[in-house]
Amino acid sequence: MRLAMLPGFVLLLPLAEIAGFVIVGRAIGLLATLGLVALSFAIGMALLRRQGIGILQRMSAEGRTGVMPGRDLLRPAMLVIASLLLIVPGFISDIIAILLFVPAVRDLAWNYIHKRFVIVQTKKGYAASQSSESGNRSKPDSKVVDLDEDDYRREPNKDSPWSGKRLGE
């Protein structure tokens, strides 16, 4: 799916979910339909609690260190996404969630996703500036300028439309 199609998908999904409720409600009745929605919510919550948000934090940490998340992280991440889709009320999102539990579908998703991973190596923050100070001083990595108090003064701009005005005046 192209990224340009995402807004249309997000707008049409609720309409499709409502249509799914109507179709299933006519086929099996109102109470059974509500029971299925409550059951999928309970299963989604149980799966999310079991998997936890820890896998998403682990993927984020590995991405920050420059390691490309691999298949071993994709499986639990897909299960977290499936559990979130089960929590969303609706039968179309439940069908997508059930498909994410199928290993062949996860393999297809991996083949589609792994080509789009881009890991950017950056050096930011305190650790990067410490490593550059100890090594090569001729080419600094950081854009941080260390100023003393008398090196920089900030004075109000008298030409600014916000100078001297207070909120509500």
Side-chain angles (χ1 to χ4, degrees), residues 2 10 14 23 30 32 35-36 38 45 67-68 79 87 94 98 115 117 121 131-132 135 142-143 150-152 167:
R2 294 190 167 221
V10 169
I23 292 169
L30 176 67
L36 282 175
M45 286 298 290
V67 177
M68 186 168 85
L79 294 179
I87 291 171
D94 291 348
I98 291 169
K115 296 173 189 167
F117 277 129
Q121 295 285 336
S131 65
S132 67
S142 178
K143 294 183 180 180
D150 54 326
D151 291 338
Y152 177 76
L167 191 61

Side-chain angles (χ1 to χ4, degrees), residues 88-101:
V88 173
F91 295 108
I92 296 173
S93 60
D94 291 348
I95 291 169
I96 295 170
I98 291 169
L99 286 174
L100 287 177
F101 287 116

